[in-house]
Amino acid sequence: MARSKEKTRTQKKPRSMRRRLMTAIVFILLLTVLIPVIAYYSLPEWVYLFVPGTRLWIASDTITENYGTPEFNEAVSFVEKKYNSTVEIFNADGVFIYSTRSLIDALPQNLSQAEPLNEAYMTKYEVLYGSIKNSQKGFLIKKYTDDNVEVKFLDCYQFLPGGERAEVSVQVTSESVTARVDFILFFVALMSILIVALVVISVYLKRFTRPVDNMCEITDAIAKLDFSRTCPPTGLAELNRLSESVNSLSTSLSASLADLKEKNKKLEEDIENERTIDNLRQTFISGISHEMKTPIAIIQGYAEGAKMFYEAGNAETAEQYCDIIVRESQRMNTMIMKLLEITKYSSGAYELETTEFNIKELADDWFERNSSILSEKGISVENLIPDDMKGSGDRVILESVVNNYMSNAVSHCDGEKKISTYAEDAGEFYRVYVFNTGEHIADNDIDKIWTSFYRADKSLSRSQGRFGLGLAIVVSIQNLHKAAYGVENVENGVRFYFDIRKAAGKAEKETETN
């Protein structure tokens, strides 16, 4: 049960300081109205006699202080007027010698020499509370009744140094009403001052809580990894320090998070590179193990045959067998070199050496180097790439892209036996096409030809030296340049394409022209 109450207390939503303060102001306003009303009608009468009793006490002290001095009569007159009271004095024998209602202008300085006064001037009271005892000073509550009129008096008596007794009286009813009014006015004034003080505190508190609320919003944003907001300076030194601390924390967290993201990105890249290397390693091993079976078997068979013919004295046949072994060895070496080339480009170990070059010259150089093969096969060529088309990239390995596309075109060129190259503007890149007449690539093969060791045309003999690695090399080189590549079946043949980034000067000039 205790834990349940504690849990409920913990889950209760706390109220803000300003809300508590406004609640206090409303509560005080209610008290300002209710307490005076309750006090006016409910408190006992003696409560309101405290103020007039205090005044009478002071008045009697004034008379006592001036006893036996020339200012005694002035002091008595002052008390009568100041406190709206009645003063009656009795000598040491209890004889009535002075009353405010008498016509005596002045008392002798020595009260023992004063003449007795007619008791007709003395008010006949009935004592309701208190009695005159041996105490030097005290209070009485008396009642005066005359012609059905009843009046209550509050009387403060005090024995003077000469043994005389002075009594200072005021009407209880009038003093009570005055005291009630004074009490109400005093309470209202006190509550008003308190309300004003609370309002001032509320205004000042608003200046304090607004920056704190703003800081809370910013720290909430920081918790959600939003570091775009900062705490503005305030007029309070302590809050300024807190704002600077929050801003410093936000900056530090932002920098740490950025650094962490950078390290995570680098880690992801390392992991991806490691995964790529593993894939390449598996591809290399599986490709080698698959492709090496036939040439190794051929080499083994011809090596045994060459040995046998050599021992039999048939040198000519043995030499032919050795030529086949050399050719197969060269073929194996070429295949391994191509696999290593793919691995080098795909693993990220190769660094591009970017230069600017003429794109048309890439095709012209290949046509020139392979003119005899083209002539032997009866293939006509044309280079339609503009002379002023400048590209940017690693020319050495881009020549390998051109070589693989051209070699592939020569192998599959048929019909009109025509190969052509041309290019078009593709925004940030130039798109270079290599077209050859011949049969279309089957739909089932068009997405697979970029895979290592895949040969769409299974009828091609091994003697042509084709391994299905050329287009895989193209993929690695283009990925290294972050450029596109592809193939399309078009009318009368097939066209392969690859993108070359525009040279910086050329790209800027075309941007200004546009």
Side-chain angles (χ1 to χ4, degrees):
M1 187 67 179
R3 289 184 179 179
S4 178
K5 288 183 179 179
E6 184 178 353
K7 186 176 180 181
T8 304
R9 220 170 21 245
T10 303
Q11 293 177 348
K12 187 177 180 181
K13 185 178 180 181
R15 292 186 299 170
S16 66
M17 193 180 299
R18 290 190 62 214
R19 185 176 178 184
R20 290 176 181 271
L21 194 59
M22 294 305 297
T23 303
I25 291 174
V26 172
F27 181 71
I28 291 172
L29 285 173
L30 291 175
L31 290 180
T32 305
V33 176
L34 292 176
I35 289 181
V37 173
I38 295 173
Y40 190 84
Y41 292 103
S42 302
L43 292 179
E45 190 176 42
W46 62 267
V47 174
Y48 297 104
L49 296 180
F50 178 78
V51 174
T54 303
R55 296 170 66 189
L56 292 180
W57 189 278
I58 296 172
S60 62
D61 284 342
T62 301
I63 294 174
T64 303
E65 290 170 0
N66 290 276
Y67 176 81
T69 65
E71 291 80 17
F72 180 75
N73 285 283
E74 292 181 5
V76 173
S77 177
F78 171 79
V79 169
E80 292 171 342
K81 295 176 181 179
K82 173 69 177 178
Y83 300 102
N84 193 25
S85 61
T86 299
V87 178
E88 293 181 340
I89 300 176
F90 300 85
N91 64 18
D93 298 327
V95 178
F96 181 52
I97 60 174
Y98 177 80
S99 174
T100 303
R101 287 181 290 274
S102 66
L103 300 177
I104 298 177
D105 294 329
L107 286 167
Q109 189 171 346
N110 187 353
L111 293 182
S112 62
Q113 299 175 0
E115 296 292 332
L117 188 64
N118 191 338
E119 292 186 359
Y121 294 107
M122 185 174 63
T123 307
K124 303 298 182 180
Y125 300 103
E126 177 187 352
V127 178
L128 299 179
Y129 173 81
S131 61
I132 298 175
K133 299 180 180 179
N134 294 329
S135 59
Q136 289 293 317
K137 199 171 186 179
F139 288 99
L140 301 173
I141 295 180
K142 301 178 179 180
K143 181 176 71 173
Y144 170 75
T145 304
D146 185 19
D147 297 332
N148 297 324
V149 175
E150 185 178 293
V151 180
K152 289 182 180 180
F153 288 88
L154 176 63
D155 183 276
C156 179
Y157 68 88
Q158 182 169 354
F159 285 93
L160 302 177
E164 298 85 0
R165 185 179 80 248
E167 296 183 9
V168 184
S169 304
V170 293
Q171 288 189 22
V172 171
T173 305
S174 61
E175 289 298 327
S176 177
V177 171
T178 302
R180 288 172 187 264
V181 174
D182 290 343
F183 174 79
I184 293 172
L185 293 177
F186 173 77
F187 185 82
V188 171
L190 181 64
M191 292 298 104
S192 299
I193 293 172
L194 184 57
I195 290 173
V196 171
L198 290 176
V199 170
V200 172
I201 293 173
S202 177
V203 173
Y204 186 79
L205 190 62
K206 186 177 181 181
R207 291 184 56 198
F208 178 82
T209 56
R210 184 179 295 171
V212 173
D213 291 340
N214 188 34
M215 291 178 198
C216 291
E217 293 177 2
I218 292 174
T219 51
D220 288 341
I222 292 174
K224 298 176 183 177
L225 304 182
D226 178 10
F227 306 102
S228 60
R229 298 178 60 186
T230 56
C231 297
T234 65
L236 299 174
E238 293 80 3
L239 289 181
N240 273 341
R241 289 180 59 191
L242 183 58
S243 297
E244 292 172 359
S245 299
V246 172
N247 291 338
S248 176
L249 175 63
S250 177
T251 303
S252 300
L253 287 177
S254 179
S256 299
L257 185 62
D259 183 59
L260 182 61
K261 286 182 178 179
E262 187 66 27
K263 290 181 178 178
N264 284 342
K265 183 179 178 181
K266 182 66 170 58
L267 181 61
E268 289 175 359
E269 291 176 356
D270 293 342
I271 294 173
E272 186 62 30
N273 288 338
E274 187 68 25
R275 189 177 294 127
T276 301
I277 292 173
D278 287 341
N279 292 336
L280 290 172
R281 187 182 296 113
Q282 292 176 6
T283 302
F284 184 86
I285 293 172
S286 62
I288 286 292
S289 62
H290 180 269
E291 292 294 326
M292 287 296 184
K293 290 179 181 178
T294 301
I296 289 175
I298 292 174
I299 290 173
Q300 182 179 1
Y302 277 95
E304 292 174 353
K307 180 181 179 182
M308 182 182 65
F309 283 112
Y310 180 78
E311 291 176 350
N314 192 345
E316 182 179 355
T317 303
E319 184 178 355
Q320 291 176 355
Y321 277 30
C322 287
D323 290 340
I324 294 173
I325 292 172
V326 170
R327 187 168 60 249
E328 288 297 324
S329 299
Q330 291 175 342
R331 183 177 181 277
M332 289 173 60
N333 180 67
T334 302
M335 180 176 62
I336 291 172
M337 294 305 295
K338 285 183 177 293
L339 282 171
L340 291 175
E341 187 176 1
I342 294 173
T343 303
K344 178 175 65 176
Y345 297 149
S346 301
S347 65
Y350 183 86
E351 293 186 5
L352 292 174
E353 295 183 6
T354 303
T355 59
E356 294 184 4
F357 54 88
N358 188 294
I359 298 176
K360 185 176 182 180
E361 291 179 358
L362 288 178
D364 285 339
D365 290 347
W366 192 91
F367 288 142
E368 184 178 348
R369 290 195 310 271
N370 296 273
S371 58
S372 59
I373 297 176
L374 295 171
S375 177
E376 181 183 339
K377 292 182 175 287
I379 298 174
S380 62
V381 298
E382 60 177 347
N383 188 359
L384 302 178
I385 300 174
D387 294 330
D388 62 345
M389 190 169 282
K390 302 290 185 180
S392 175
D394 193 326
R395 173 168 178 155
V396 174
I397 61 176
L398 286 173
E399 288 179 351
S400 181
V401 175
V402 174
N403 179 68
N404 282 296
Y405 272 178
M406 293 293 192
S407 299
N408 189 71
V410 169
S411 298
H412 293 86
C413 192
D414 201 358
E416 296 181 14
K417 291 195 174 183
K418 179 180 179 182
I419 296 176
S420 62
T421 57
Y422 53 95
E424 64 181 18
D425 194 328
E428 185 181 352
F429 297 86
Y430 290 121
R431 178 155 292 182
V432 181
Y433 294 94
V434 177
F435 167 80
N436 68 272
T437 58
E439 295 182 1
H440 287 172
I441 301 174
D443 292 339
N444 293 335
D445 296 326
I446 201 163
D447 293 329
K448 301 176 182 177
I449 59 176
W450 309 99
T451 306
S452 298
F453 301 110
Y454 187 84
R455 291 187 289 269
D457 191 349
K458 307 297 189 300
S459 63
L460 291 176
S461 64
R462 297 180 67 258
S463 61
Q464 291 180 289
R466 302 190 69 247
F467 309 101
L469 296 174
L471 295 181
I473 293 175
V474 170
V475 172
S476 299
I477 293 174
Q478 289 300 102
N479 287 340
L480 201 59
H481 283 86
K482 297 180 180 179
Y485 59 89
V487 62
E488 299 170 336
N489 288 321
V490 295
E491 185 178 357
N492 297 328
V494 177
R495 67 175 184 180
F496 284 79
Y497 65 86
F498 68 103
D499 288 354
I500 296 178
R501 194 177 304 275
K502 292 179 180 178
K506 186 71 175 177
E508 291 174 2
K509 184 176 180 181
E510 291 182 359
T511 303
E512 292 175 359
T513 303
N514 294 334

